[in-house]
Amino acid sequence: MGIFGWHKLVHAAVVSYLQVALDVPLQRTFDYLWAGPAPTVGSRVVVPFGKQTLAGVVVAVSAELDPARGLTVAQLKASQAVLDDMPPLPADILALCKFCSDYYAWPLGQVIAAALPGALRQPQPWQGGQALQFWQALDVTALLGQLSPRAHKQRAVAEALAVPRSIEQVRAVAHDGGRWLKEWIAAGWVVEAVPQADTAPPQASAHPDLTACQASAVARLNAAQGYQPFLLYGVTGSGKTEVYLREIEARLAHGGQVLVLVPEINLTPQLEARFRLRFPHEHIVALHSGLADGERTRNWLLAAQGRARIVLGTRLAVFTPLPHLALIVVDEEHDQSYRQQEGFRYSARDVAVYRARQAQVPIVLGSATPAIESWRNMREGRYTLLTLGQRAVTGAKPPQMTLISTQQQRLFDGLTQTAINTLRDCLDAGQQALVFINRRGYSPVLACHECGWIASCKRCDARLVLHREDRRLRCHHCGWESPPPAQCPDCGNADLQPLGFGTQRLEETLTGLFPDTPPLRIDRDNTRRKGSLDAMLQQVHAGEARLLVGTQMLAKGHDFAGLSLVVVVNADAGLFSTDFRAQERLFAQLLQVAGRAGRAGLPGRVLIQTRYHDDPFYPQLMSGDYAAFADRVLQERKANDLPPYSAWAMLRAESKTLMRAVTYLREAVQLLRTQPGIHAGAPIPALMMRKANQERAQVLVSSSSRPALQSAMRFLMGELLQKKAPGVRWYIDIDPSEA
């Protein structure tokens, strides 16, 4: 059997009965025969399923057919193969998937599939295993003696093989390195080797001095034994990452592995660079959706084998097998990016907390603006509070925040004269400034002033956003796009006007206002190409870009030493909403982006432009006291029986017609009324009723008892999966992030 071969089905006296979880929308597992040595629970298998061939994961093996399954041997099909291209999923990961299946009312097979890299969901063995092997020259001097003095690239590869190298590392030295490596292996000059981690501790100078608050937090974390959840509540710039690094160092020293979750892909490379600088002798891997399938699979396997001791990843990394898990860190734990919004819907932060309890290891949830749910857990004693109340850089103070009323003021493409003058003073002083608007594109509306026509998506109840650079109108909800019309489709008027402001329009305006300091725009539109964001951030850190325009991509996790001014445009966009969480999210967003200013000792200023300067929300924000804000929100939620003081689920359905979706939901509500302790509202249209040519409706389901809600949702999913509903797509959303 090869390293990544198959165990072929053979005629043998030993027959096993397998229960297999498959990536199909059915709650149950499926029974198959296997003739030969019994596979390990957690192994990948290839099985027939109807007319398809699928890969699944074995969740149970027995020598006899369980009568409770209600099947006979004659009804069972034979498994086609057992794959050995990955270590079997360990019991703790299978148990974690089972918990998620129960809690989020989602089929177990689809949960397990979501926990695997895409390449390991396919019904064939993964062929990239050679990248996990390391090679080393037996005698570098002897090997060099076999090479021509003129073969500079070959000699460079040979010298690199003085220590164990992977095939990728060899190819990084020379493009043809893989071919030469193969020849040298065949000749016996190079052999497979196991890389030895250099455990020498970093130099003391690599560690910045800790503040008293940081030192206290590190001491308490070091003393933690077993499962202990910590809420690391620190003002922006207080050095939460340094606390993480100190505790990670302590856990690694005892042979453990560490899982670090971050909310956004764009934060992973920066954090990874900082970790590699701090832990140069450790094998560190990243796991996020921006990686190619092969790279993600290799990194996942290195972690599962225990060879990678630090795993940095976004929400999907929470399911990574880690045989020596000793610590979990969730950075910016309040961030909505931890919530999966498509397919299997789960909160990676909440799953991480459960996993820490399951593994009996500490978990650190860090944020300057903790989620209200986490704040409640801390207030009620379930989480231990660690507070960092001052900035880590000596002399650095919280930025001075100022409200600028835009009422009765002339705006220059969204900017007040006060903002423009302050920006000019900042740039003249050689400092950096950020103009923040959480809206990409040139303009959110293209309209006709003659008849009132507005460019709208043909597939959604949404307006099209004008992207002027490539002359396109785009829907930011379904992706539909078209060129802007030359004239109004309704009245023929050729003078169509963009209304409102996005990052592209602000970039254009600032270019005209400050021609000697060209702005650098950073948003999702111009950072799609791999490496583009890193290149832009390097310009910022080097001081080459001094005027920035950006969205929430720049609101968190970034430490720009020269940034002293933040101007927030259109702050009111999140102030009024039917979602009871809107002010919580706006407070967090504004406090996070304000925290980018003045982090390295420079006095920081934040100007917030608003039409509603007398709204009671803003005095709370200006105080910067998130704890007082969070306590008030908790009181309001409790008085109104809102989450986290009640358990919510949302049943959503979509179809070609709203009536069909609503009719389906009404039938589901009738099923729910048989369940005790459950309140199900009437079906209503979704806030965005039409999206991607589908009409959408929803039902809010609530209960004062979470176990009752979970039981009802599992019952409902079982009933709905058996119910045929042509033309209707539905799903259950537990703990919905949007009402």
Side-chain angles (χ1 to χ4, degrees), residues 67-336:
R69 304 287 288 178
L71 297 169
T72 65
V73 175
Q75 293 175 291
L76 299 185
K77 295 181 179 180
S79 305
Q80 296 177 0
V82 175
L83 306 179
D84 62 355
D85 50 2
M86 74 173 200
L89 282 180
D92 64 318
I93 296 299
L94 291 175
L96 182 66
C97 291
K98 180 65 169 63
F99 162 78
C100 290
S101 174
D102 290 341
Y103 185 90
Y104 293 106
W106 205 257
L108 176 62
Q110 294 190 324
V111 174
I112 292 175
L116 295 172
L120 297 178
R121 301 175 203 162
Q122 307 306 314
Q124 57 267 342
W126 183 60
Q127 301 294 338
Q130 64 172 341
L132 301 180
Q133 296 172 296
F134 287 78
W135 308 93
Q136 184 174 12
L138 283 173
D139 186 331
V140 174
T141 303
L143 177 57
L144 289 170
Q146 302 297 313
L147 304 176
S148 167
R150 299 180 185 178
H152 301 296
K153 289 186 177 180
Q154 288 190 47
R155 297 181 71 85
V157 171
E159 290 169 352
L161 290 170
V163 296
R165 303 284 186 182
S166 68
I167 184 68
E168 288 187 337
Q169 291 171 325
V170 168
R171 286 174 179 153
V173 177
H175 180 70
D176 290 334
R179 175 168 59 85
W180 301 328
L181 178 62
K182 185 176 180 180
E183 294 172 357
W184 297 340
I185 293 171
W189 293 105
V190 173
V191 297
E192 188 173 0
V194 177
Q196 299 295 321
D198 184 347
T199 56
Q203 295 294 321
S205 59
H207 296 66
D209 293 334
L210 296 179
T211 64
C213 292
Q214 286 176 312
S216 174
V218 170
R220 295 182 71 180
L221 289 171
N222 285 344
Q225 299 292 326
Y227 170 65
Q228 209 170 335
F230 293 90
L231 181 62
L232 182 60
Y233 168 49
V235 300
T236 53
S238 59
K240 291 183 289 294
T241 303
E242 182 60 31
V243 173
Y244 303 153
L245 291 170
R246 294 292 180 106
E247 181 57 18
I248 289 169
E249 186 175 25
R251 299 290 163 171
L252 293 177
H254 291 88
Q257 288 177 287
V258 176
L259 173 63
V260 181
L261 298 181
V262 295
E264 297 273 6
I265 290 175
N266 65 74
L267 296 180
T268 312
Q270 303 161 62
L271 199 62
E272 186 177 359
R274 184 166 178 180
F275 271 60
R276 290 193 187 283
L277 185 64
R278 187 63 166 266
F279 303 109
H281 309 297
E282 290 293 343
H283 202 149
I284 301 171
V285 297
L287 286 171
H288 53 77
S289 60
L291 300 175
D293 263 0
E295 186 177 3
R296 182 184 164 194
T297 303
R298 286 191 292 273
N299 290 352
W300 187 92
L301 286 170
L302 287 167
Q305 294 166 358
R307 294 162 66 179
R309 296 215 297 159
I310 300 176
V311 175
L312 303 175
T314 52
R315 59 177 176 262
L316 56 82
V318 73
F319 295 102
T320 307
L322 297 163
H324 310 297
L325 180 62
L327 175 71
I328 299 177
V329 173
V330 184
D331 191 30
E332 306 290 358
E333 63 89 32
H334 68 280
D335 200 283
Q336 288 300 302

Side-chain angles (χ1 to χ4, degrees), residues 636-657:
E636 293 174 355
R637 300 266 181 95
K638 188 173 185 178
N640 292 284
D641 199 26
L642 293 171
Y645 294 98
S646 62
W648 279 19
M650 193 75 75
L651 176 61
R652 308 183 197 266
E654 57 185 47
S655 185
K656 287 292 184 183
T657 66

Side-chain angles (χ1 to χ4, degrees), residues 642-698:
L642 293 171
Y645 294 98
S646 62
W648 279 19
M650 193 75 75
L651 176 61
R652 308 183 197 266
E654 57 185 47
S655 185
K656 287 292 184 183
T657 66
L658 182 64
M659 181 58 68
R660 183 180 292 180
V662 169
T663 300
Y664 183 83
L665 291 178
R666 283 177 181 155
E667 295 173 0
V669 168
Q670 292 301 317
L671 292 170
L672 281 171
R673 285 178 179 161
T674 66
Q675 301 299 296
I678 297 298
H679 177 266
I684 60 172
L687 189 61
M688 180 183 288
M689 188 181 72
R690 187 165 175 263
K691 182 178 180 181
N693 280 334
Q694 294 288 305
E695 305 284 340
R696 309 189 304 159
Q698 61 193 35

Side-chain angles (χ1 to χ4, degrees), residues 688-731:
M688 180 183 288
M689 188 181 72
R690 187 165 175 263
K691 182 178 180 181
N693 280 334
Q694 294 288 305
E695 305 284 340
R696 309 189 304 159
Q698 61 193 35
V699 167
L700 176 63
V701 185
S702 63
S703 176
S704 59
S705 165
R706 182 166 295 283
L709 180 74
Q710 289 177 277
S711 175
M713 291 300 101
R714 288 194 294 270
F715 161 78
L716 182 64
M717 170 157 277
E719 293 293 317
L720 295 182
L721 287 174
Q722 297 177 39
K723 177 183 172 62
K724 294 188 180 296
V728 177
R729 180 175 175 266
W730 62 272
Y731 59 89

